[in-house]
Amino acid sequence: MSFISISFAIFFLILVVLYHIIARVSKNPVLIQNILLLAASLVFYAFADLRFLSFLFYIIIVSYIAGRLCKNKTIFILFLIADIAPLFAIKYCPLILHTHWIFPLGISFFTFQSVSYIVDSYTKKIPSEKNFLNVALFISFFPIISSGPIQRAGNLIPQFQNVRNFDYNNATDGMKLFAWGMFKKLCIADRIAVYVNYVYGNVNDGYGLAILLATVLYSFQIYCDFSGYSDMAIGIARYLGFDVGKNFDHPYLSKSVGEFWRRWHISLSSWLRDYVYIPLGGSRVALPRIYLNILITFLVSGIWHGSTWNFVIWGLLHGIFQCIGRATKSFWEKIKVPSFIGIFITFCLVTFAWIFFRSNNLQEAGIVISKIAQVPQNISQFFVIKGNLGMKEALRILFALNDENFGGFSEMSKVIFLLVIFIICELITEKTEGIQLIRSKKAIVRWMLYLTLIFFIYFFKPITYSTNFIYQNF
């Protein structure tokens, strides 16, 4: 059930009405609200495919029993293996056995969430949860089950123990976040997707300029798609009275790849830090070992995202970038590079790595890179074509601005216009969160902003758009 669907709107409306009635009339509102949330989460998850529920139930049961029984290292390791086994089998056994199995929605996310619960229980970071309902709800909580943010039991489970009465600020903030997420998903990510999919679907025939533009746009597509989902998920949770944290913090304004990963997919980055990097020794070991720890951590990140070599390369590239950044940090600080140069270099490195993430395989990634290397040649071709056919035709040919496949210049102008608005919003809200900025404005200004956002969502969403999100595939 997609957040962007009539079925979800009906589902959520019914849930909210029952949820707040329970808070007012029930003698035991915490228990009844939690039962309602668990039932709603199971319905939400089963809507994707009823068969997926068996995987979810398995992880819930393993998590609960592990939390209660993990008293020594051997039992802990056995439960950890049992917890990860379905994810490993689904992602990697089909590759080995050349078979096609079902891929349960969000299994990577709720498995990592389960692992964190088992590890934290074993290490006494959190008390073992005796209430099965709380564990089941922690694993299956519907706003975050398919694509995060990945939660920690120490943050989310205590929130299940409180009554959630209707709160005006939570409700309105949640609606604002949801609307902003819709704008990013529909008006930016899905518009860009049409062009990117066309160009990457024809890399053998495309010019380097078109492929370069599509690669840069893909950086914004995946950001707006994934952060758009996160904003909607966080908004839904906040409306219901839960704080599930922040998952993105203006990552493309980072001045290094290390900083990028502190701002991008924060819940995964912190999970990798706490459950992979630090257990390997983190930064408390000799420098060569630190570099190895970084590479291993990002190798795990790559493998988590996918079982093919292009994801492995993507992860290793980020590890290499961070090692180089760490080794040259004092040099860059000494020469005092302006912030905008650091931001530009970081964006270029991250965008280059996205080539391997977006490509279907290493061969396609190689073609993309070789085509981009031909950009200087394409520029010289541009002047030749311009002289023969004119400026507009030269741009159309070299940038694949075909009316029948993408919408031509008109569609690209809309994409650029929306991206400029988005970038301006990113710059304005880097220091102060958008919600706080809006609250500080007078009512007339706030409502003008709300109506403008609604206008953009209604009039600038593409005619055809995807209700799926990129990270649901992971």
Side-chain angles (χ1 to χ4, degrees), residues 320-386:
I320 291 168
F321 293 156
Q322 290 217 47
C323 290
I324 294 172
R326 191 182 185 99
T328 60
K329 184 179 178 180
S330 59
F331 169 77
W332 294 111
E333 289 175 348
K334 186 177 180 180
I335 63 174
K336 297 180 181 178
V337 176
S339 294
F340 73 90
I341 293 179
I343 292 170
F344 176 74
I345 292 172
T346 301
F347 180 80
C348 289
L349 292 173
V350 170
T351 298
F352 175 76
W354 283 133
I355 292 172
F356 294 91
F357 196 96
R358 175 59 180 81
S359 300
N360 294 314
N361 48 57
L362 284 182
Q363 182 182 4
E364 184 176 296
I367 294 170
V368 168
I369 293 168
S370 66
K371 289 278 187 173
I372 291 175
Q374 296 172 11
V375 164
Q377 180 184 341
N378 291 166
I379 293 172
S380 63
Q381 290 174 308
F382 168 78
F383 292 104
V384 174
I385 298 172
K386 175 178 173 291

Side-chain angles (χ1 to χ4, degrees), residues 271-301:
W271 192 99
L272 291 168
R273 178 198 65 209
D274 293 344
Y275 301 105
V276 180
Y277 182 68
I278 291 176
L280 287 171
S283 301
R284 305 182 308 276
V285 293
L287 192 58
R289 179 61 186 273
I290 291 174
Y291 293 149
L292 179 61
N293 292 346
I294 291 171
L295 290 173
I296 292 172
T297 301
F298 280 92
L299 175 62
V300 170
S301 176

Side-chain angles (χ1 to χ4, degrees), residues 180 417-430:
W180 180 240
F417 171 68
L418 292 166
L419 270 179
V420 168
I421 290 175
F422 174 70
I423 291 170
I424 291 171
C425 290
E426 285 283 285
L427 292 170
I428 291 172
T429 59
E430 185 186 12

Side-chain angles (χ1 to χ4, degrees), residues 59-326:
I59 296 297
I60 289 171
I61 292 168
V62 168
S63 301
Y64 179 75
I65 297 174
R68 303 293 291 149
L69 297 183
C70 284
K71 306 301 180 184
N72 64 62
K73 191 172 183 179
T74 301
I75 296 175
F76 164 68
I77 291 172
L78 288 174
F79 270 107
L80 211 55
I81 292 170
D83 197 45
I84 298 171
L87 176 62
F88 180 85
I90 287 163
K91 276 202 169 186
Y92 304 106
C93 285
L95 190 69
I96 298 168
L97 302 176
H98 303 287
T99 58
H100 295 283
W101 297 355
I102 63 171
F103 194 98
L105 178 72
I107 188 170
S108 297
F109 288 91
F110 64 72
T111 298
F112 267 29
Q113 206 156 287
S114 173
V115 168
S116 72
Y117 171 75
I118 293 172
V119 173
D120 289 352
S121 296
Y122 172 70
T123 58
K124 309 298 182 185
K125 188 174 181 180
I126 60 169
S128 174
E129 180 58 48
K130 297 178 182 179
N131 188 324
F132 179 80
L133 177 60
N134 286 344
V135 175
L137 195 48
F138 168 69
I139 300 296
S140 64
F141 190 43
F142 78 89
I144 60 172
I145 191 170
S146 65
S147 299
I150 301 168
Q151 294 300 294
R152 307 295 179 86
N155 171 59
L156 192 55
I157 287 180
Q159 296 184 60
F160 294 141
Q161 298 165 0
N162 302 321
V163 180
R164 280 83 60 183
N165 293 306
F166 178 80
D167 183 273
Y168 177 81
N169 288 330
N170 281 339
T172 54
D173 287 353
M175 291 170 66
K176 292 167 196 171
L177 283 168
F178 191 91
W180 180 240
M182 280 190 71
F183 168 76
K184 290 196 282 188
K185 164 64 174 170
L186 295 179
C187 299
I188 301 179
D190 282 357
R191 274 195 177 277
I192 290 174
V194 178
Y195 181 74
V196 171
N197 291 343
Y198 172 71
V199 172
Y200 265 77
N202 298 274
V203 291
N204 289 307
D205 302 322
Y207 285 93
L209 283 169
I211 293 172
L212 176 61
L213 177 58
T215 301
V216 171
L217 288 177
Y218 181 71
S219 289
F220 289 100
Q221 180 197 345
I222 192 169
Y223 175 36
C224 289
D225 189 283
F226 192 18
S227 67
Y229 174 91
S230 293
D231 286 343
M232 284 187 261
I234 294 165
I236 292 165
R238 187 170 297 184
Y239 191 101
L240 295 171
F242 295 94
D243 178 7
V244 295
K246 181 190 290 187
N247 214 22
F248 291 87
D249 185 13
H250 307 79
Y252 289 149
L253 297 179
S254 305
K255 294 178 281 295
S256 69
V257 176
E259 183 184 349
F260 171 82
W261 275 100
R262 291 190 292 273
R263 292 170 172 243
W264 174 275
H265 202 348
I266 296 167
S267 62
L268 175 63
S269 301
S270 61
W271 192 99
L272 291 168
R273 178 198 65 209
D274 293 344
Y275 301 105
V276 180
Y277 182 68
I278 291 176
L280 287 171
S283 301
R284 305 182 308 276
V285 293
L287 192 58
R289 179 61 186 273
I290 291 174
Y291 293 149
L292 179 61
N293 292 346
I294 291 171
L295 290 173
I296 292 172
T297 301
F298 280 92
L299 175 62
V300 170
S301 176
I303 293 172
W304 179 82
H305 281 87
S307 57
T308 54
W309 281 106
N310 46 312
F311 288 108
V312 172
I313 298 298
W314 172 79
L316 286 175
L317 275 174
H318 275 279
I320 291 168
F321 293 156
Q322 290 217 47
C323 290
I324 294 172
R326 191 182 185 99

